[in-house]
Amino acid sequence: MACAHGDRDALRRIYERESRYLLGVALRIVRDRAAAEDVLHDAFVSIWSRASSFDASRGAGRGWIYSVVRHAALNRARDSARETTLDEPAAAHHDTQAALAAWNTSGDELARHAALGRLGHCLDGLEPTRRSCLLYAYIDGCTHGEIAERVQAPLGTVKAWIQRGLRALRECMQ
């Protein structure tokens, strides 16, 4: 809300506190550091200019900021029209498995829960495959078809798991 009132220090504080995590979100989607940095810059310009559109009754400011970055990264990935070759899925699968392993075995559990708050607790409560589907969709920016391929499950099942997982997260966050 302070950004909406023109408080530049508020934007600076958000950047200082969240930029490394937001860069990670962008990097996981666009897979190029320079492009991820551009995405982060564009997202912060958007956060500054659209801060007045934030509605606290619809969720936390932190979630709104992360969604701005995620959408900017997805748009950049779509605009660049990068095509994944058939020999890349194994590398992408390995990267994702490493990220999920880091999620599950984070050496600093306190820092992870402090950063994610209730969301981390709620994600931990999901069945591992369903949690993976949500992380593939919202962290890696995968399509439902790509997720189905990664978890080796039917497309309809993956869609249902994501819907149910989101519903469970919403209920847990209330």
Side-chain angles (χ1 to χ4, degrees):
M1 295 313 298
C3 288
H5 292 100
D7 184 351
R8 291 176 188 258
D9 285 334
L11 186 67
R12 181 186 49 77
R13 287 189 304 271
I14 293 169
Y15 182 84
E16 288 172 353
R17 187 174 43 225
E18 300 294 332
S19 63
R20 65 184 173 151
Y21 303 112
L22 294 169
L23 180 62
V25 169
L27 188 57
R28 295 288 301 165
I29 295 171
V30 299
R31 301 191 193 293
D32 176 67
R33 179 144 185 118
E37 290 171 354
D38 288 344
V39 164
L40 190 62
H41 173 268
D42 294 346
F44 267 90
V45 169
S46 182
I47 289 166
W48 176 254
S49 63
R50 294 181 25 216
S52 62
S53 71
F54 168 68
D55 180 4
S57 69
R58 296 185 66 200
R62 189 173 205 204
W64 182 78
I65 290 166
Y66 275 74
S67 70
V68 169
V69 171
R70 181 178 170 274
H71 284 66
L74 289 170
N75 288 340
R76 171 63 69 97
R78 287 183 196 115
D79 290 345
S80 69
R82 288 182 54 190
E83 293 186 18
T84 305
T85 59
L86 293 178
D87 57 348
E88 271 189 36
H93 180 72
H94 175 73
D95 290 347
T96 304
Q97 290 302 321
L100 290 172
W103 165 267
N104 288 325
T105 61
S106 174
D108 191 355
E109 190 72 16
L110 183 61
R112 182 179 73 146
H113 281 287
L116 294 175
R118 286 183 63 187
L119 178 59
H121 170 74
C122 294
L123 280 169
D124 286 341
L126 293 176
E127 188 269 324
T129 305
R130 293 176 187 189
R131 178 177 55 237
S132 296
C133 289
L134 285 173
L135 295 175
Y136 289 145
Y138 289 93
I139 293 177
D140 288 349
C142 294
T143 65
H144 289 142
E146 292 168 335
I147 296 167
E149 202 173 289
R150 287 184 181 191
V151 298
Q152 297 180 344
L155 180 61
T157 301
V158 168
K159 288 180 178 181
W161 285 347
I162 291 172
Q163 284 180 332
R164 290 180 192 139
L166 288 172
R167 194 175 313 124
L169 286 178
R170 256 191 303 280
E171 289 173 10
C172 180
M173 295 293 289
Q174 291 179 353

